[in-house]
Amino acid sequence: MLSRLASRVVPAFGQLTVTADEGAGCLPVGIVVANHSSLADPAIVLAALQRLGTRPVVMAAAGLWRVPLLGRVLAREGHIPVHSGDPRASRALDLAAEALEQGRHILIYAEGGLPDRRDAADAAPGTFRSGLARLARRTGAPVIPVGQAGARRVVSGSAVKQVAGLATAPLRRPRLHVHVGSPLLLDGDGALVTTRAHFAVTAAWKTAATHLGEPAALAA
């Protein structure tokens, strides 16, 4: 339901295009890891993956489960709350491993939060936390790097600017792009897995941002 809803709602707020590396159009069951830059990008990534026939289980901040209606949808569909800095945090990895065993994709945001920025420009992914590497090493599942660009054109900045951005997006119709990279089988120690995954997501983000003509990506 969440993926289908995103695929219907996102086109009303922007012009979404999707590309993929050769061979990445049909995704194996694995861990989808995307850059996180805006409150809008989970919906954008879900809409893009829906086009590729993939409806992942989402690992997201546990606070979202307290949002009326949204929390009920997340719980009913088996999405996974992440309690950062809490003893319950390890439970999220257990649930993610179970979902992978059941043939579900997992969508994870390895940066663990949003960038502390006010502008609407895109920027390279921040530092990844260790959860992605632990899940990849534990399950042996492939890592599927995804880069998105343009989400900050929908929602970014202060709370007032975010509301204004969301309200005006249907009129502005900002361009949005998601690029899916080739799946990777990552092994080695945790730091190496994290570094390789970050490099792959950054490359996917550069491709997405270049499609939108973002100066940061063109100069990188």
Side-chain angles (χ1 to χ4, degrees):
M1 176 180 175
L2 198 62
S3 292
R4 290 195 299 270
L5 181 62
S7 69
R8 293 170 182 168
V9 170
V10 168
F13 289 85
Q15 305 171 64
L16 175 62
T17 51
V18 183
T19 53
D21 284 350
E22 185 176 355
C26 183
L27 300 179
V29 172
I31 306 164
V32 179
V33 55
N35 61 306
H36 198 15
S37 64
S38 163
L39 291 172
D41 64 61
I44 292 167
V45 170
L46 286 175
L49 293 175
Q50 168 83 355
R51 292 188 184 182
L52 299 177
T54 300
R55 299 174 183 173
V57 172
V58 181
M59 298 181 71
L64 294 176
W65 272 251
R66 296 193 294 270
V67 177
L69 185 59
L70 175 61
R72 290 198 296 273
V73 171
L74 292 171
R76 185 182 65 222
E77 296 190 1
H79 299 289
I80 301 171
V82 179
H83 299 268
S84 299
D86 185 288
R88 293 172 290 178
S90 61
R91 177 60 178 158
L93 293 183
D94 294 338
L95 293 172
E98 291 174 9
L100 288 165
E101 290 175 0
Q102 294 165 5
R104 300 291 306 276
H105 290 81
I106 291 291
L107 172 59
I108 185 172
Y109 286 95
E111 293 161 90
L114 292 168
D116 185 18
R117 294 171 40 230
R118 297 289 183 175
D119 62 280
D122 273 283
T127 302
F128 280 6
R129 297 187 180 181
S130 62
L132 168 64
R134 297 203 305 274
L135 182 60
R137 294 178 68 199
R138 173 174 170 177
T139 63
V143 171
I144 303 162
V146 169
Q148 63 78 26
R152 293 184 66 82
R153 299 177 179 182
V154 179
V155 174
S156 62
S158 66
V160 172
K161 287 184 177 180
Q162 290 188 46
V163 171
L166 195 62
T168 60
L171 298 175
R172 295 183 289 112
R173 306 270 303 146
R175 293 173 60 217
L176 315 167
H177 193 86
V178 173
H179 182 77
V180 180
S182 299
L184 306 169
L185 286 175
L186 302 179
D187 52 21
D189 63 32
L192 178 60
V193 169
T194 299
T195 298
R196 290 184 63 195
H198 186 272
F199 181 84
V201 173
T202 300
W205 164 76
K206 286 182 179 179
T207 299
T210 299
H211 271 272
L212 300 186
E214 283 287 346
L218 294 171

